[in-house]
Amino acid sequence: MDKFLIKGPVQLKGEVYISGSKNSALPILFASLLTTELIEIKNIPKIKDVDITIKLLLNLGVTIKRGKSLIIKANNLNSHCILSKKLIKSIRASIWLLSTLLVRFKKIKMYLPGGCSIGKRPIDLHIKNLKKLGAKINIKNDFIIASINNQFKGTHIFIKKSSVGATINSILAAVYAKNITIIENAAKEPEIQDLIKFLNIIGANIKVEGTNKIIITGIKKLSGGVYTIMSDRIETGTFLIAAAISKGKIICKNTNPKYLNTLLKKLMYMGAIIKIGKNWCSLDMTNKRPKAVNIITGPYPNFPTDIQPQFTLLNCIALGKSIVTETIFENRFIYIYELIKMGANLFIKNNQVFCKGVNILYGTKIQATDLRAAISLVLAGCIAKGITIISDINHIDRGYENIENKLINLGAKIIRIKN
Ligand code: UD1
C-alpha cells in the first residue's frame, strides 16, 4: 500500500467542494440491477469503493459508460457469472447483491461480504428479513446460497436493531415483491432516503411514514431515469473538523448542512462559528483552541460513527477532558494507539475513550487500519509538529475523492509515496 508523508503543523483554510456521497452511491449502483432500462447517475464520487462496485456490475454483464455521470444499463445480465471473491470481500456493500440478484436470477451463490475491519459486522438481520420476504438462505463455509420462488412476497418486518445495510437489502427485495411490505424500526440515515428517492423516480412505490416506518407496494416494472445523488455528509463533517483542529476557517460547497445538525451543535459548543446556507456550510475557529466535549455515537440523527475518529482527534487537542462513546462498531478504536504514539493523552476502557487535551501532537511513523481511522490520522499529521509518515494509506481512497489535493488546496503539506 502507499504511504503519506505529511509535514506539519499547518492551519487549514479555504474552500472545498464536497463530492457525492459514498454511502448513497453504493446502494444506488446496486439498485440499478433492478431495472433493465437506461439510468443516469450524477454526482458519483471518484473513490475506490465505487470502482469496485462498477467492476462487480461489469462482471455481471451490466453496460456502464463512465464520464461526468454514470450511464448504466442492466438489460443483459450473465446469470452464470462467478462473482469475484476479491471484489465481494473488498466492500461491505456487496451484500446488496443478495436481494438484487435474487430478483434478477431467482437463485444465487456468493461469497460473504468484506469491508472495513471495524467490528464483527454480522449479516443476521439481512438474512432474517430476506427469509421473511420468502427467500431460502443457507450460509455454508464462506458462501451464501439463496433462492426465491419466482418473486419475493410482501410481509411485515420489524428490524430489532437499527441497521442501514439490512434496511437497504429489505427495500431492494421489496420493490418487486407481491403485495405490500412494511418495514418497522427502519434505519433513518439520509442515504436511505436518497435511495428511496431514486427508486421512486424510476417507478417504485415506496412511502416513508413517521420517522422509521417504510411502506413498499410491489410494482411490476421499474423504468429508467436520471438521478443526482446527495453530497457526502461524512466528508463535509471531516473538512469542518479539519478546520477546527488546525484553528482554521473553511467553507464546504455542494453540501447539505441539514444532515449534520448533531455535529454542528457539538462544534458550536466547542467554540466554532458555524454558518450555513442551502448548499454550503462554513466553520471558523481562527486562532481559537476548541473546548473538549463528550460525544456518543448512534444511528441517525445521533452522532455518526463515521465521524467518531475525526472528532476524537479534535478532543485530543481540545482544552479539557472528554469522553467519546462508540455504540455502533466494537472495533473502532484501533487508531487510538497511533494517536497515542503522536503524543495524545487517551485511554480506552470498553467502548469509551477518555481524552485529556494536549497542546500539540508530534509527527512519527503510524499506520492506517480503516477508512475513517486513515482520515483521522492524516488530519493528525497536518497539525502535528514535524514529519508524520502514515503507511497503508490506501484505505483512505475507498471513501475520499482526491483527498490529498483537497487538503493541499487548504494548506496541507502532503506527499503520496507510491508503493
Ligand atoms: C453502514 C455504512 C457505514 C456506517 C454504518 C452505520 C454503508 C456502505 N456503510 O454500514 O459507513 O458506519 O452504516 O451508520 O452504507 N448489525 C447486526 N446484524 C446485521 C447488520 C448489522 O448486528 O445483520 C449491527 C452491526 O454490527 C452494527 C450495527 O448493526 O453494530 C449497525 O450496522 P449497519 O447500520 O448495518 O452498518 P452497515 O450497513 O454495515
Side-chain angles (χ1 to χ4, degrees):
M1 286 218 207
D2 299 346
K3 287 188 175 105
F4 269 3
L5 189 149
I6 307 176
K7 198 168 168 215
V10 294
Q11 196 176 34
L12 297 167
K13 50 187 180 187
E15 208 176 280
V16 64
Y17 187 87
I18 301 300
S19 302
S21 159
K22 165 175 99 64
N23 288 354
S24 197
L26 301 182
I28 287 176
L29 285 175
F30 284 109
S32 71
L33 286 168
L34 294 176
T35 178
T36 53
E37 304 294 327
L38 197 79
I39 54 173
E40 180 178 356
I41 306 176
K42 297 183 175 176
N43 205 27
I44 286 277
K46 292 191 185 68
I47 52 173
K48 190 81 189 298
D49 278 14
V50 163
D51 294 342
I52 292 167
T53 305
I54 289 175
K55 278 186 191 155
L56 275 166
L57 296 179
L58 289 170
N59 216 213
L60 280 158
V62 179
T63 312
I64 301 181
K65 239 172 63 194
R66 198 172 186 178
K68 249 190 138 196
S69 56
L70 275 187
I71 316 271
I72 303 178
K73 196 157 183 183
N75 60 329
N76 204 2
L77 297 189
N78 171 11
S79 61
H80 298 294
C81 110
I82 296 167
L83 288 162
S84 148
K85 178 178 180 178
K86 191 170 163 226
L87 295 177
I88 296 259
K89 294 279 178 198
S90 304
I91 51 170
R92 172 76 174 174
S94 55
I95 189 64
W96 296 320
L97 284 172
L98 185 55
S99 50
T100 47
L101 290 185
L102 277 175
V103 168
R104 291 299 295 265
F105 301 150
K106 318 299 171 205
K107 57 179 187 176
I108 172 177
K109 180 176 178 185
M110 63 178 269
Y111 281 100
L112 285 164
C116 275
S117 42
I118 49 178
K120 287 199 279 290
R121 310 188 86 177
I123 54 163
D124 56 315
L125 302 171
H126 297 248
I127 304 294
K128 191 174 165 212
N129 297 344
L130 294 181
K131 277 185 173 170
K132 195 118 202 264
L133 280 152
K136 290 192 186 83
I137 305 177
N138 281 307
I139 296 183
K140 252 194 210 153
N141 304 322
D142 205 11
F143 284 102
I144 311 175
I145 300 150
S147 62
I148 55 170
N149 279 336
N150 198 39
Q151 70 182 134
F152 281 107
K153 291 180 183 63
T155 186
H156 196 146
I157 292 170
F158 181 89
I159 308 183
K160 67 172 193 241
K161 182 177 185 182
S162 178
S163 163
V164 173
T167 302
I168 289 174
N169 240 342
S170 309
I171 294 171
L172 295 172
V175 165
Y176 285 118
K178 203 171 168 189
N179 303 324
I180 293 176
T181 301
I182 297 172
I183 307 173
E184 290 204 76
N185 200 32
K188 299 182 272 289
E189 269 64 8
E191 294 77 11
I192 296 178
Q193 306 310 320
D194 212 32
L195 169 71
I196 292 173
K197 271 193 220 157
F198 163 71
L199 287 168
N200 281 340
I201 276 181
I202 60 169
N205 185 346
I206 308 175
K207 291 192 178 74
V208 180
E209 212 180 84
T211 53
N212 56 9
K213 188 171 177 179
I214 300 174
I215 302 167
I216 304 155
T217 307
I219 48 110
K220 291 262 180 292
K221 193 173 178 337
L222 288 175
S223 59
V226 183
Y227 192 71
T228 304
I229 64 162
M230 64 182 280
S231 56
D232 199 307
R233 66 189 167 103
I234 307 299
E235 189 194 4
T236 309
T238 301
F239 278 108
L240 295 177
I241 292 172
I245 53 160
S246 65
K247 299 179 180 169
K249 184 177 174 180
I250 211 163
I251 302 180
C252 296
K253 296 273 178 80
N254 185 43
T255 189
N256 191 339
K258 84 171 182 198
Y259 300 127
L260 280 167
N261 272 337
T262 315
L263 171 70
L264 297 183
K265 275 189 201 146
K266 294 284 179 187
L267 289 168
M268 281 193 273
Y269 184 80
M270 290 181 120
I273 299 166
I274 303 275
K275 290 187 183 151
I276 56 173
K278 199 170 164 254
N279 60 356
W280 62 271
C281 179
S282 71
L283 177 142
D284 187 354
M285 192 68 115
T286 310
N287 299 332
K288 247 198 290 183
R289 186 163 174 206
K291 201 169 89 184
V293 60
N294 296 343
I295 55 159
I296 303 175
T297 65
Y300 188 83
N302 295 306
F303 196 96
T305 174
D306 286 352
I307 304 187
Q308 178 262 103
Q310 303 88 312
F311 203 90
T312 305
L313 169 66
L314 185 51
N315 270 331
C316 259
I317 50 92
L319 197 64
K321 291 182 182 174
S322 59
I323 303 172
V324 171
T325 308
E326 172 61 56
T327 72
I328 308 284
F329 293 114
E330 64 277 5
N331 203 17
R332 212 156 201 186
F333 285 150
I334 308 177
Y335 70 97
I336 293 289
Y337 300 103
E338 306 306 293
L339 290 179
I340 291 172
K341 285 184 202 161
M342 300 177 81
N345 189 342
L346 304 170
F347 170 74
I348 306 175
K349 193 172 175 206
N350 304 322
N351 69 333
Q352 293 189 308
V353 179
F354 296 82
C355 317
K356 190 165 176 233
V358 293
N359 264 316
I360 191 148
L361 295 175
Y362 296 93
T364 187
K365 283 188 180 170
I366 49 176
Q367 187 186 9
T369 47
D370 64 73
L371 167 59
R372 307 300 169 187
I375 189 67
S376 174
L377 297 180
V378 169
L379 296 184
C382 290
I383 54 164
K385 195 169 175 200
I387 305 280
T388 302
I389 296 175
I390 311 176
S391 57
D392 293 356
I393 202 64
N394 299 66
H395 287 292
I396 215 165
D397 302 326
R398 297 188 54 176
Y400 288 93
E401 178 175 331
N402 206 6
I403 187 65
E404 60 259 48
N405 287 331
K406 284 190 183 186
L407 284 169
I408 288 167
N409 282 340
L410 297 170
K413 293 174 183 157
I414 304 179
I415 299 171
R416 184 182 285 252
I417 305 166
K418 291 259 181 206
N419 190 358

